[in-house]
Amino acid sequence: MRQAWQAQWANMSPSERRLLTVAAWLAGLTLVVMVGVRPAWRTLQTVPTQMQAVEAELALMRQQADEAQTLRQRPPVPPVQAEASLQSATARLGAGARLSRQGDRAVLNFQGVSGEALAAWLEEVRVGARARPLEATWQQGGDALFQGSVTLSLGAGGAL
């Protein structure tokens, strides 16, 4: 096969050889661009947006770490204050919320509570009673209200 190619090459005119050489170089260059350059170029174009997303996520994680450190440095809440904080936060959720305590844990069962009210409740019991969520199970109903339960750990200072 090689000898046949060499014989055909020898029979070509110089302009045909030059045209074939240029076509081979163009095909090779196209292959190099398609395989080597384009993927790298696409990566270079997407890196700035990916870096912005990573930096935003890192800033959020640093903010959360700072907040956690601040909460850790606060003194424990006396049991009476923790109970008052839990009761007042739960009362703001309305009649669809019921709080029960089991040693150093509290369980909130709720039905028909908005997401905003639930988030505010979690924030209030986390800061006011130094409680931290251990387990949460909820689902959203058709009316955009939630039902479910949240189990909290009251910690050493909040044992009721």
Side-chain angles (χ1 to χ4, degrees), residues 8-9 16-17 24 56 64-65 70 78 97 102 120 133-134 139 141 143 153:
Q8 192 173 1
W9 183 262
E16 287 178 326
R17 284 189 216 152
Q64 290 172 342
T70 302
Q102 303 159 352
L134 295 176
Q139 57 188 359
D143 52 359
S153 171

Side-chain angles (χ1 to χ4, degrees), residues 93-117:
L93 289 178
R98 186 173 35 89
L99 184 69
S100 61
R101 290 174 305 280
Q102 303 159 352
D104 66 341
R105 293 187 181 197
V107 178
L108 173 74
N109 291 302
F110 57 92
Q111 186 168 0
V113 176
S114 71
E116 294 83 19

Side-chain angles (χ1 to χ4, degrees), residues 74-159:
R74 290 184 178 169
V77 176
V80 173
Q81 184 181 349
E83 171 148 1
S85 178
L86 282 170
Q87 293 298 336
S88 67
T90 303
R92 280 191 270 291
L93 289 178
R98 186 173 35 89
L99 184 69
S100 61
R101 290 174 305 280
Q102 303 159 352
D104 66 341
R105 293 187 181 197
V107 178
L108 173 74
N109 291 302
F110 57 92
Q111 186 168 0
V113 176
S114 71
E116 294 83 19
L118 192 56
W121 179 85
L122 281 167
E123 177 70 20
E124 188 173 344
V125 299
R126 186 176 61 118
V127 172
R130 306 292 193 280
R132 61 185 175 93
L134 295 176
E135 183 180 340
T137 316
W138 61 61
Q139 57 188 359
Q140 187 174 11
D143 52 359
L145 298 177
F146 291 87
Q147 64 182 22
S149 67
V150 177
T151 303
L152 302 168
S153 171
L154 299 175

Side-chain angles (χ1 to χ4, degrees), residues 11-75:
N11 290 338
M12 287 184 187
S13 68
S15 62
E16 287 178 326
R17 284 189 216 152
R18 207 174 349 200
L19 185 63
L20 193 56
T21 303
V22 168
W25 274 102
L26 284 176
L29 183 62
T30 302
L31 183 65
V32 166
V33 167
M34 297 296 278
V35 172
V37 175
R38 281 186 74 198
W41 187 260
R42 270 192 230 124
T43 300
L44 286 174
Q45 288 176 333
T46 60
V47 164
T49 56
Q50 290 174 346
M51 285 298 292
Q52 288 176 346
V54 167
E55 287 173 0
E57 189 174 341
L58 179 62
L60 178 64
M61 291 172 69
R62 285 184 175 154
Q63 176 188 2
Q64 290 172 342
D66 291 343
E67 185 179 349
Q69 186 66 27
T70 302
L71 288 173
R72 274 191 211 106
Q73 292 174 350
R74 290 184 178 169

